[in-house]
Amino acid sequence: MAARIENLRPCRRQNTVSGCLPESKRLESCPHSNQKKKVLCMPRLPQEIVFNILLCLPADILYNVMRYVCQEWYNVIRDPVFANAHVLKSDRGSLIWTGPNRLGVPYVELMKPRDLIEMTRVRFPDFGGMLVSSCNGLVCYTTVKRSYYHYIANPVTKEIVRIPTASEVPWISCLGYTSSSKEYKLVEFHGGHERLDCGILTLGVDKEWRFLDATNQTLKIKRFLIEVLVGSQVATDDGFVHLPYYSFNLTLDLESETFFLCSVPNCSNTEREDRKYFGTGRSLCFMDRKGKFSWELWLLKNVPTGDWTKLATIDLGSQEQWLRQSLCPQGFRLGPIGWLKDGEIAIFHVNYDPSFGNLTLFHDAEAQPLRNCIAYNVKTGAMNSYKLDEDDNFYSGGSYVPHVKSLVSLEFATN
Amino acid sequence: MIVLNSSDGATFEVEESVAVQSQTIKHMIEDNCADTSIPLPNVNGVTLARVLEYIKKHAEAKDDEEGLKSFDAEFVKVDQASLFEIILAANYLDIKGLLDLTCQTVADQIKDLTVEEVRAIFNIMNDFTPEEEAKLRNDHAWAFE
C-alpha cells in the first residue's frame, strides 16, 4: 500500500543565521579602556563549553528560551549533532497514556538538580487515536476510527508528519531507531490465523510499506496463541522490537530486519499479569511477581544472546503496614508502571484494593489512595511517594511509554 | 611529585598519581615535558589551587560515593566568575569529572532564567535583528491547534 508521507506542517527549515558579530561588540571589559571597571569581568566561554552546558538542559528549555540568546547559541541548538548528543545523554521519563486528554499526556520525569519526580504534560494534537510508542523524543500515535494514520510528532519542536497505516487495523505498531544506520523505522504488526504480518517503513527513505516474513519463527507459536502477542509490545531505542510471549520473546532486529526468538529469564509465573515487560528507554526490563509486594527484576543486557542480568529483588512486603497508612488505609495494590533513569528507579501505581473491604468504596472518592505513585530506587532501596494525577482518570489499564524530551527534528522524514 | 606553575607565577606540588586525573598533564608527563616543572599559562594561581583541591579529594576518597557527592555540592558554591574560571581550567586541563560537574552547575543555575538574564550572566549581546527575532519566535504553533 503506497504510503504518501504527508507533511502536515512544513518542518521548520531552520534558517541559517548570519555569523556572529565581531568580537569588539561583545561586552567584555577592555583592558585599554579608560573607564573604571564597574562589573567584574566575566571570562568568555568557548563554543565547545557552551555546547557542554547546553547539553545539560532539558530540550524544551533549549528550544523555547535558550535558542534566542544569540546567534551562536541558536546555531548550536539547531545542529543535528547537538540534538543527537543531547538525546543520548538525557534521562528517560515515562508517558502515561490513559485516553484522550485536553490537558496533554502526563509525563513523569526526574527533575534536576535535586532529582525530584515531577509530572508535567506533553501536548500534541489529539486526532482521537492511541499513543503507541515514543522513540528518541518522537511520539507515535495511531488513529483507526475514521481514518487510518500514524502520526509522528516531536512535542518540543512541534513538527508532525502523517503516514497511512499499512493494514486497516494494525494490532501493534511502534517506532524504533537503529543507531548504526541512524534511521527511524515504523513497524506495524497484524495477525492472521496462522501468521503474523509485519510491515516496516523507514522514515525519509521508503515511499511505501515493505513487508517482512515472520513465519519461520511464528510456527513455533501455537496458532491460536498468536493473539497473545498483542498484549504489550515494547520497542527499545537500541534498535529492537520485542513482542513478549511466555518462554521467549519474538524479537525484531530493526537493523537487519530479521526476526529471532530471544530467551527470557526462567520463571514459574504463567499469568500474564505477573510477568511484565517494560522498556526503560534504552533496554528491556522484566518484572516477575514473586508475592503481593515483591518482584524480581531482570534487565536484558545483550539482545542477540538473550543475556539477562538480575538487577534486584524488590520486596516491599515488610513495609506493607506503614505503606498502607500513608498511601491508602482501605488497602492497596501495587502495579509497576514504568522506569526512570534507565532502570534505576521503578515507578509503581497505587490502586485501591477492593479485596480489603467494601466493594462500594471502589468508586468512592474517599477510598482513593492518598498518594497514588511510588518511586523506588532499586540500588539504594529508597522510596518516595507522590500524588501525581489531579484530573486524570488513573487506572491500571493505561499504557506506559518511556519518553524523553528531545530536539530531534523530523526534517529527514519529509524527503 | 609534580610541580605546576600557574600563569601568575605561583607554584604547586602534587603527587603524580593525583595529577594524572588531568589528561593534559598526563600527556605532558608521558611526552617527557615534565622534567622540572609544568607551566600552565592558561590557569591562574587561585583557580589552580581550587582545581587541585578537587582532584586531591577525588583521588583520596575515590570509593566514597556519598562523601564525594557532598564535597562536589559544596565545591561549586562559588561566585559566577570563579565558576567560569574553573570551567575554563577544567577544559584546558582536560579533567572530565570536574568539567561535567561545573557545566551541570551552570546549567542548573540558568535553567529557569529569561533570555535577558542568561545574556547578562554570559555577557552576551543580542545579535539578532528585531526582524530575525520576530520571525523565529513566530514559528511555534502546531498545524492543528
Side-chain angles (χ1 to χ4, degrees):
Chain A
M1 181 189 247
R4 210 168 39 89
I5 298 178
E6 292 178 48
N7 192 2
L8 295 178
R9 166 164 183 54
C11 290
R12 234 149 279 112
R13 305 255 170 219
Q14 307 213 23
N15 309 304
T16 312
V17 288
S18 48
C20 287
L21 293 176
E23 281 289 332
S24 57
K25 298 228 174 141
R26 294 201 174 264
L27 289 170
E28 279 175 334
S29 75
C30 173
H32 305 297
S33 163
N34 289 328
Q35 289 178 338
K36 282 193 186 148
K37 290 184 197 176
K38 287 183 188 162
V39 173
L40 190 63
C41 175
M42 293 285 257
R44 185 179 162 250
L45 298 178
Q47 198 192 59
E48 68 210 41
I49 294 188
V50 170
F51 189 99
N52 283 329
I53 293 175
L54 293 178
L55 273 185
C56 301
L57 290 168
D60 48 351
I61 289 182
L62 288 171
Y63 196 78
N64 297 327
V65 178
M66 300 301 166
R67 273 197 317 163
Y68 303 114
V69 167
C70 70
Q71 294 181 352
E72 179 190 353
W73 286 34
Y74 182 88
N75 287 330
V76 168
I77 291 171
R78 68 163 283 227
D79 186 356
V81 172
F82 178 81
N84 285 334
H86 183 268
V87 77
L88 266 177
K89 185 176 189 281
S90 301
D91 286 333
R92 265 68 180 153
S94 197
L95 279 173
I96 303 171
W97 193 81
T98 54
N101 191 326
R102 298 217 142 263
L103 299 171
V105 181
Y107 175 61
V108 177
E109 60 173 333
L110 280 178
M111 301 287 248
K112 291 187 156 57
R114 285 187 309 277
D115 274 356
L116 291 177
I117 296 190
E118 283 192 26
M119 183 175 86
T120 53
R121 300 274 171 175
V122 169
R123 304 195 59 188
F124 48 90
D126 178 5
F127 303 105
M130 190 173 139
L131 176 70
V132 292
S133 85
S134 164
C135 178
N136 283 352
L138 301 176
V139 169
C140 180
Y141 191 89
T142 304
T143 61
V144 291
K145 286 212 177 114
R146 283 159 302 176
S147 55
Y148 307 95
Y149 287 107
H150 298 289
Y151 291 89
I152 299 177
N154 184 333
V156 172
T157 64
K158 296 196 167 74
E159 294 163 315
I160 187 167
V161 295
R162 176 171 82 173
I163 298 166
T165 59
S167 59
E168 264 218 348
V169 187
W171 284 5
I172 305 169
S173 37
C174 57
L175 183 64
Y177 177 71
T178 55
S179 45
S180 34
S181 52
K182 296 199 176 6
E183 291 174 323
Y184 288 91
K185 297 190 180 180
L186 189 55
V187 176
E188 214 183 270
F189 289 96
H190 179 72
H193 215 27
E194 285 186 30
R195 50 170 228 291
L196 194 67
D197 288 331
C198 174
I200 193 165
L201 187 146
T202 308
L203 294 186
V205 172
D206 290 329
K207 304 289 179 218
E208 290 187 6
W209 285 93
R210 293 175 288 115
F211 290 92
L212 304 180
D213 184 9
T215 328
N216 280 343
Q217 277 70 25
T218 54
L219 279 178
K220 295 195 182 166
I221 307 169
K222 292 196 179 108
R223 55 162 210 244
F224 60 87
L225 287 177
I226 284 203
E227 287 81 8
V228 166
L229 287 173
V230 179
S232 53
Q233 96 291 0
V234 190
T236 57
D237 289 339
D238 57 1
F240 295 95
V241 178
H242 303 276
L243 298 181
Y245 187 56
Y246 288 130
S247 42
F248 51 81
N249 288 343
L250 181 63
T251 300
L252 169 62
D253 179 341
L254 285 176
E255 181 74 57
S256 61
E257 295 183 2
T258 54
F259 285 91
F260 60 96
L261 298 177
C262 181
S263 62
V264 300
N266 253 338
C267 82
S268 49
N269 278 322
T270 49
E271 288 299 312
R272 300 198 73 226
E273 270 312 298
D274 295 332
R275 310 161 51 98
K276 288 274 196 193
Y277 288 89
F278 289 99
T280 64
R282 288 193 226 271
S283 179
L284 187 61
C285 122
F286 171 61
M287 290 183 80
D288 185 17
R289 189 187 275 271
K290 288 294 184 203
K292 194 161 178 198
F293 298 111
S294 63
W295 294 264
E296 264 180 13
L297 233 67
W298 297 77
L299 190 72
L300 183 56
K301 284 286 190 194
N302 188 332
V303 183
T305 60
D307 208 3
W308 291 81
T309 310
K310 185 164 162 188
L311 273 187
T313 307
I314 299 179
D315 190 355
L316 303 174
S318 51
Q319 303 171 64
E320 186 189 336
Q321 284 307 316
W322 172 80
L323 282 174
R324 213 176 123 172
Q325 277 181 349
S326 56
L327 295 177
C328 187
Q330 282 81 10
F332 72 102
R333 277 198 292 231
L334 287 182
I337 66 173
W339 290 88
L340 298 181
K341 271 196 131 165
D342 298 315
E344 216 175 281
I345 298 183
I347 309 283
F348 292 91
H349 187 242
V350 182
N351 289 319
Y352 168 65
D353 186 355
S355 70
F356 264 78
N358 200 338
L359 264 179
T360 60
L361 281 177
F362 193 71
H363 296 291
D364 187 340
E366 279 179 25
Q368 294 314 308
L370 306 165
R371 302 289 198 98
N372 55 9
C373 166
I374 292 179
Y376 178 81
N377 188 318
V378 170
K379 258 197 320 194
T380 66
M383 197 159 45
N384 293 302
S385 62
Y386 304 85
K387 183 145 180 73
L388 283 185
D389 59 303
E390 294 298 333
D391 308 308
D392 295 288
N393 179 16
F394 238 130
Y395 62 97
S396 51
S399 65
Y400 306 99
V401 177
H403 177 69
V404 63
K405 287 189 276 194
S406 82
L407 295 165
V408 173
S409 167
L410 279 167
E411 273 184 359
F412 63 87
T414 60
N415 293 336
Chain B
M1 289 297 257
I2 298 288
V3 176
L4 304 170
N5 286 326
S6 71
S7 60
D8 44 2
T11 323
F12 299 86
E13 266 196 351
V14 67
E15 305 244 359
E16 183 175 325
S17 56
V18 171
V20 295
Q21 284 181 57
S22 153
Q23 294 296 311
T24 308
I25 295 179
K26 180 165 181 256
H27 292 140
M28 283 187 191
I29 296 176
E30 283 166 356
D31 294 343
N32 281 326
C33 304
D35 282 345
T36 48
S37 60
I38 298 182
L40 299 172
N42 290 6
V43 189
N44 66 35
V46 170
T47 310
L48 187 52
R50 287 215 170 98
V51 171
L52 291 179
E53 192 192 324
Y54 175 90
I55 59 177
K56 277 181 189 159
K57 178 71 177 181
H58 275 249
E60 75 190 25
K62 220 167 10 155
D63 298 318
D64 178 10
E65 213 180 295
E66 280 304 309
L68 283 180
K69 260 174 89 169
S70 38
F71 171 83
D72 286 352
E74 286 304 307
F75 182 81
V76 292
K77 287 182 182 167
V78 294
D79 62 274
Q80 199 84 61
S82 304
L83 189 58
F84 278 32
E85 294 283 1
I86 298 174
I87 290 184
L88 289 170
N91 189 44
Y92 168 66
L93 293 170
D94 199 357
I95 306 172
K96 186 175 187 310
L98 183 57
L99 189 59
D100 289 345
L101 170 68
T102 44
C103 285
Q104 182 69 56
T105 305
V106 174
D108 293 338
Q109 288 171 353
I110 67 175
K111 201 172 82 133
D112 296 318
L113 298 184
T114 64
V115 176
E116 288 76 20
E117 287 166 335
V118 173
R119 285 184 189 137
I121 288 192
F122 286 85
N123 248 341
I124 296 176
M125 265 200 80
N126 179 7
D127 50 3
F128 289 113
T129 66
E131 294 81 24
E132 276 173 342
E133 189 161 349
K135 185 167 196 284
L136 293 177
R137 283 186 186 275
N138 272 338
D139 240 0
H140 245 223
W142 289 103
F144 305 105
E145 265 301 28

